[in-house]
Each structure stands twice: as C-alpha cells, then as structure tokens.
Amino acid sequence: MNNISFELNGKMINMGCELTRRLLDVLRIDFGLTGTKEGCQEGECGACLVFIDGQILNSCVVPVGNVIGKSVITIEGYAATEEYQRIERAFLEYGAVQCGYCTPGMVMAVGALLKSGQPLEDKTIKSALSGNLCRCTGYQTIFDAVKSMDLGGGEDV
C-alpha cells in the first residue's frame, strides 16, 4: 500500500492505496462518487468519464497511481459549474435523458467539447460524443440538445 495525494473535486485527498487500483473503483467505493458509472470496463463506452487535469479520460482504465498530484473532477464536482448547468438545461429541454446511465459520461464529453472552443457543428458534436454509448439509443435527442447550445439553447434568458 502506498500513500498518494491528488485533488478530487477541488479538495486535496491523501490516502493509502494500491497504485494499480482503477480510479473508477476508488471514486465509487472509497469516496461514494457513484455518478461515475461502470459500463464496459474497457474504456469503450464513456460511462466512467472524468476530467484529469482538464482532459477527459475513462476512469475504468486509469490506475489511481496515474493521478498522483493531479486534479480529478467527477460529474459530482462538474455539477457545481455554470457550464454543467447550461448542459443540464439543454438536456432537459430536448429530453436527452432516457434511463440516465450514460448521461454523466455524455455530459462530461459535452463539457470537454465546450472547453475545447470548437464550434458546435455536426461533425464536431458527433466526434466529441463518439466515445459514449447510449444503450437506449437516445443519440438524436442528445445530439439535438448539444446542437441547440450553439444557438443559445441552455442559456438563461
């Protein structure tokens, strides 16, 4: 067991932990942050997306030893941002949530797209969401919600 430190949702964490444990397990089991979902366990479905030093990564394939000294933001931490609130409003407006299992990962992917500053065009939206699977196949409403944000959707009036 090793002592490690990293920032989690804005708070410094010091803990004893095996360095090879999956970040996803540490978040869900040790910290009760269950908004980060486990899907494929292979980094293919996007349900476990988190921001690590501002980059989205699948936490199911990241050993916790790789986040030492870094900043980790989960959906719970991201939910405190104005950007998240904008995404939430657009998803609600377009009914872009079905069972909700993929939603945290989708929101994190949209957040990364917004942070990138790329235009919310068809090609960039599809590319940004291409690493996220929705088992309910609600892709069109999710796509429409993100597209609406380019037209002012999700903005307070």
Side-chain angles (χ1 to χ4, degrees):
M1 182 157 319
N2 297 282
N3 288 321
I4 64 169
S5 298
F6 62 99
E7 186 179 294
L8 177 59
N9 294 332
K11 295 180 181 171
M12 202 62 192
I13 300 295
N14 297 299
M15 65 182 294
C17 186
E18 294 297 328
L19 298 178
T20 55
R21 283 184 69 200
R22 298 182 317 162
L23 177 59
L24 174 65
D25 294 332
V26 171
L27 295 173
R28 291 182 59 85
I29 296 168
D30 296 20
F31 295 100
L33 297 170
T34 56
T36 304
K37 306 296 185 198
E38 180 163 14
C40 68
Q41 305 175 24
E42 298 175 344
E44 296 290 329
C45 74
C48 64
L49 285 176
V50 296
F51 286 108
I52 300 176
D53 279 352
Q55 301 294 314
I56 56 168
L57 292 168
N58 291 297
S59 62
C60 72
V61 294
V62 174
V64 73
N66 285 14
V67 301
I68 295 172
K70 296 185 177 179
S71 170
V72 177
I73 303 291
T74 66
I75 190 69
E76 289 89 350
Y78 189 59
T81 67
E82 288 182 26
E83 199 171 64
Y84 170 89
Q85 303 299 322
R86 184 174 169 216
I87 297 167
E88 179 182 58
R89 284 190 296 275
F91 272 48
L92 289 172
E93 181 179 344
Y94 282 84
V97 176
Q98 292 186 24
C99 83
Y101 200 82
C102 71
T103 304
M106 291 283 187
V107 168
M108 298 300 270
V110 173
L113 174 60
L114 294 176
K115 287 179 188 299
S116 76
Q118 295 181 57
L120 299 180
E121 298 172 346
D122 294 354
K123 185 177 179 179
T124 56
I125 295 169
K126 287 178 182 176
S127 176
L129 298 178
S130 66
N132 295 76
L133 300 178
C134 172
R135 293 183 177 93
C136 304
T137 66
Y139 296 107
Q140 190 59 51
T141 55
I142 295 167
F143 181 84
D144 291 344
V146 177
K147 183 84 174 171
S148 79
M149 296 175 74
D150 195 36
L151 304 172
E155 296 283 350
D156 286 329
V157 190

